[in-house]
Amino acid sequence: SQQGEEDPQALSIQEGENATMNCSYKTSINNLQWYRQNSGRGLVHLILIRSNEREKHSGRLRVTLDTSKKSSSLLITASRAADTASYFCHYSGGSNYKLTFGKGTLLTVNP
Amino acid sequence: DTAVSQTPKYLVTQMGNDKSIKCEQNLGHDTMYWYKQDSKKFLKIMFSYNNKELIINETVPNRFSPKSPDKAHLNLHINSLELGDSAVYFCASSELPPGLVYEQFFGPGTRLTVL
């Protein structure tokens, strides 16, 4: 399967702690994005990192990309209960610009 | 104003029926997509259109037929529905096509249940 792998599959933390999610992929990529999906809702774009970038920040989010290891990580600092959601990496790459989602990490932030 | 809208939100139907899901975006984007999310939350691209032209057609049964009457609309018609078609279907749009993919904007999803 070309589907990206994310780990952990589920993560439960306390409010105020940091959460780190990882995404590994199999093809060369043009860019990688992270999305959030609240239960029963559509996906919301969080951040995009291009293949020539190594790190990007947006508010409490920090994304890293290591193209040599074909992996990316999403760090959410000072988590809040409202951060409870599933997080997916999404990337395009390969000769036919195949679009692929990771399998997702379910994050639960306990108040 | 809703950026990407889908109708219906819920669709319950019998096996063998034909049904359609509609999607509209008011963002002025050139590219639209259909994704399927199964019960394990796995998301897979099904189709993508750029300016009404099909540019991605993944391994999807030919019972699924997308139609793009204009670049703001991408509808999904499903013939002879099967139990395995039960899933949440998401429409999305982006300003640029795959290869230059930037942020995708997703609709709220259509939960299809085939009985």
Side-chain angles (χ1 to χ4, degrees), chain A residues 3 30-31 33 35 37 40-43 45 48 50 88 90 92 97-99 101 103, chain B residues 9 33 35 37 41-45 56 58 90 98-99 101-104 106-108:
Chain A
Q3 191 126 21
N30 302 313
N31 62 74
Q33 305 175 53
Y35 286 80
Q37 184 179 33
R41 309 286 288 272
L43 286 87
H45 182 265
L48 177 149
R50 292 182 176 80
F88 294 89
H90 179 270
S92 67
Y97 303 114
K98 187 175 176 65
L99 300 175
F101 270 98
K103 293 180 179 177
Chain B
K9 192 170 169 64
Y33 312 80
Y35 288 89
Q37 186 173 42
K41 304 291 188 188
F42 295 162
L43 279 150
K44 285 199 169 179
I45 181 77
I56 291 178
E58 288 297 308
F90 287 99
V101 171
Y102 285 88
E103 177 180 355
Q104 292 187 33
F106 281 79

Side-chain angles (χ1 to χ4, degrees), chain B residues 42-85:
Chain B
F42 295 162
L43 279 150
K44 285 199 169 179
I45 181 77
M46 298 174 70
F47 301 104
S48 177
Y49 271 73
N50 180 248
N51 267 322
K52 303 193 299 175
E53 187 179 329
L54 182 66
I55 53 172
I56 291 178
N57 184 356
E58 288 297 308
T59 307
V60 175
N62 57 15
R63 299 181 294 104
F64 290 78
S65 53
K67 284 195 171 49
S68 182
D70 55 61
K71 72 175 193 179
H73 295 84
L74 180 61
N75 303 324
L76 184 64
H77 188 75
I78 315 170
N79 288 327
S80 304
L81 278 156
E82 300 177 357
L83 294 176
D85 297 333

Side-chain angles (χ1 to χ4, degrees), chain A residues 46-111:
Chain A
L46 295 175
I47 195 166
L48 177 149
I49 187 165
R50 292 182 176 80
S51 58
N52 61 354
E53 296 175 315
R54 292 296 166 257
E55 189 170 312
K56 206 156 179 186
H57 296 254
S58 177
R60 294 184 295 114
L61 306 179
R62 173 178 166 248
V63 169
T64 61
L65 180 64
D66 186 335
T67 51
S68 66
K69 294 181 180 176
K70 290 187 167 59
S71 68
S72 173
S73 67
L74 171 67
L75 168 66
I76 304 175
T77 60
S79 63
R80 305 167 183 167
D83 294 329
T84 295
S86 292
Y87 291 82
F88 294 89
C89 64
H90 179 270
Y91 49 90
S92 67
S95 58
N96 62 350
Y97 303 114
K98 187 175 176 65
L99 300 175
T100 307
F101 270 98
K103 293 180 179 177
T105 294
L106 175 59
L107 172 67
T108 303
V109 181
N110 302 299

